[in-house]
């Protein structure tokens, strides 16, 4: 009996060694959600905060020409309309780059990718600051579009990965807070610097900002191996899911409606009796601050029911934009509606991101890439549609169209994926 038990005991002892290679075999299939690498940063909130710094840097760079169009055009001897291409081009490029860049870097460490994108952003800003002619500016802005699409696609889902579970919603909200802070602080500060020292100085300052963020990312982010290789075939598979398709339609309608109206909100406010340039600037600052608050409020609402939060935001935003048309006779009424508008729109990015992650929990980065692509395309489409309406029927038509589009976003079908949103 002893003779027979000994070999049997050795066989059982070896059995785990025979099965041990099996997990290594699974890692050859990165799309398998069981293979998601464990991330344990020493300072998770610092890492998430630095991701917010990345979104701040790219959005400030994207929107900086808005406040510098006149001086940029005069400095490079082009019309204001031609200089506006510096705003349009990055958005269009970002819409294409967002789904393609994750495919190109599908196996690269995400910390390395983000650092490289911020270094490229710094180079693009430096090229703009030194540009001898407008075509060189357009080349630099094309690079900015690549950075925008890449940072949105890669960084958007990392907050929940660095702080999973109950903190995921707050982490995602913090990542997207960089967008709101860029609107409230980054762009006005860049515009002020450009007015005081020239538009080239403003872009040179953004070069330094991007370099600082790149260094911060390298220091505080842990290694972030790719969760799963994103291939071009991943996107058609995601789009075959009705819930993903309808969420993208919702986001497209909501963002198009918002930017159709908001791009031309200044002439809407200027026609209100008693509002001069100073008051309009103050109202827009209040809108931006409300947007920062709305970003975190949206993150809290979206923590468990992101689709419901997105529908609520669309309903409020649509109603507020439509009501601004008859409220044009009252400065107080217009100011109150503008603050509610900022509060509602501040939650769009975080709620949309959380809803898509919940709808596609096994492919979070691919979902983020689709989100970024649709979002940036909708920005360009909304600004274009708003411009046509502003030049034709006028500001009232702009408001009504934007409000109707946002209202339609609230009516799209879909429901929350229970439990997925809290642990994407």
């Amino acid at each position: 009996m002893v003779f027979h038990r000994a070999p049997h005991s050795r066989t059982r002892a070896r059995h785990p060694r025979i099965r041990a290679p099996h997990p290594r075999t699974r890692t050859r299939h990165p799309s398998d959600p069981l293979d998601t690498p464990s991330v344990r940063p020493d300072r998770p909130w610092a890492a998430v905060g630095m991701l917010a710094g990345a979104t701040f840097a790219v959005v400030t760079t994207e929107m900086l020409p808005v406040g510098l169009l006149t001086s940029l055009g005069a400095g490079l001897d082009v019309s204001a309309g031609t200089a506006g291409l510096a705003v349009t081009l990055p958005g269009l490029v970002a819409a294409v780059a967002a789904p393609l860049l994750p495919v190109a870097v599908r196996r690269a460490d995400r910390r390395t990718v983000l650092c490289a994108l911020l270094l490229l952003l710094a180079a693009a800003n430096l090229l703009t600051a030194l540009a001898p002619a407008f075509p060189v500016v357009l080349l630099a802005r094309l690079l900015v579009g690549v950075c925008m699409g890449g940072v949105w696609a890669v960084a958007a889902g990392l907050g929940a990965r660095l702080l999973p579970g109950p903190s995921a919603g707050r982490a995602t909200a913090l990542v997207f807070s960089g967008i709101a802070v860029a609107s409230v602080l980054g762009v006005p500060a860049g515009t002020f610097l450009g007015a005081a020292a020239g538009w080239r100085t403003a872009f040179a300052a953004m070069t330094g900002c991007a370099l600082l963020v790149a260094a911060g990312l390298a220091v505080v982010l842990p290694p972030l191996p790719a969760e799963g290789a994103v291939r071009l075939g991943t996107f058609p598979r995601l789009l075959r899911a009705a819930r993903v398709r309808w969420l993208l339609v919702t986001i497209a309608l909501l963002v198009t409606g918002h930017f159709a109206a908001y791009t031309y909100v200044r002439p809407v406010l200027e026609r209100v009796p008693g509002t001069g340039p100073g008051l309009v600037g103050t109202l827009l600052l209040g809108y931006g601050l409300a947007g920062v608050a709305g970003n975190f409020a949206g993150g809290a609402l979206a923590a468990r029911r992101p689709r419901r939060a997105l529908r609520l935001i669309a309903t409020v935003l649509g109603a507020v934009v439509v009501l601004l048309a008859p409220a044009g006779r009252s400065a107080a009424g217009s100011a109150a509606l503008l603050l509610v508008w900022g509060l509602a729109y501040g939650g769009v990015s975080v709620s949309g991101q959380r809803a898509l992650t919940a709808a596609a929990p096994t492919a979070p980065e691919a979902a983020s890439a689709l989100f970024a692509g649709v979002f940036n395309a909708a920005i360009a489409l909304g600004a274009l549609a708003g411009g046509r309406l502003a030049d034709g029927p006028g500001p009232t038509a702009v408001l009504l169209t934007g409000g109707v589009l946002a209202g339609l976003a609230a009516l799209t079908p879909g429901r929350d994926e229970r439990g997925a949103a809290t642990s994407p």
Side-chain angles (χ1 to χ4, degrees), residues 9-31:
S9 173
R10 285 194 301 270
T11 302
R12 293 186 62 173
R14 291 177 182 172
H15 190 59
R17 295 184 181 178
I18 295 173
R19 295 174 60 89
H22 184 62
R24 290 195 296 269
T25 302
R26 279 205 309 251
T27 60
R28 296 174 187 173
H29 304 282
S31 60

Side-chain angles (χ1 to χ4, degrees), residues 248-297:
L248 292 174
V249 170
T250 301
I251 291 163
L253 287 170
L254 180 52
V255 176
T256 301
H258 165 78
F259 276 94
Y262 183 70
T263 304
Y264 300 93
V265 71
R266 180 175 285 274
V268 169
L269 295 174
E270 286 172 346
R271 69 179 185 170
V272 177
T275 57
L279 181 57
V280 170
T282 301
L283 290 176
L284 292 177
L285 176 62
Y287 167 92
L289 293 172
V292 176
N295 176 78
F296 290 100

Side-chain angles (χ1 to χ4, degrees), residues 125-174:
N125 277 306
L126 182 60
L127 184 60
T128 304
L130 300 176
F134 190 64
V136 179
V137 171
L138 291 183
L139 173 61
R141 300 299 289 175
L142 185 150
L143 297 177
V144 170
V146 173
C147 297
M148 287 166 50
V151 169
W152 272 58
V154 174
L158 288 181
R161 187 174 168 191
L162 291 165
L163 280 161
S167 298
R170 285 180 294 154
T172 302
L174 182 56

Side-chain angles (χ1 to χ4, degrees), residues 304-323:
R304 291 188 176 276
R305 294 289 183 268
R307 185 69 180 84
R308 184 180 300 175
L310 199 59
R311 188 177 287 115
L312 175 62
I313 287 169
T315 302
V316 173
L317 195 151
V320 164
V321 172
V322 169
L323 288 172

Side-chain angles (χ1 to χ4, degrees), residues 41-44 46-51 111 162 215-223:
D42 294 330
R43 292 168 290 174
V48 173
M50 196 51 64
L51 292 176
R111 178 176 63 179
L162 291 165
L217 290 170
V219 171
V220 303
L221 280 185

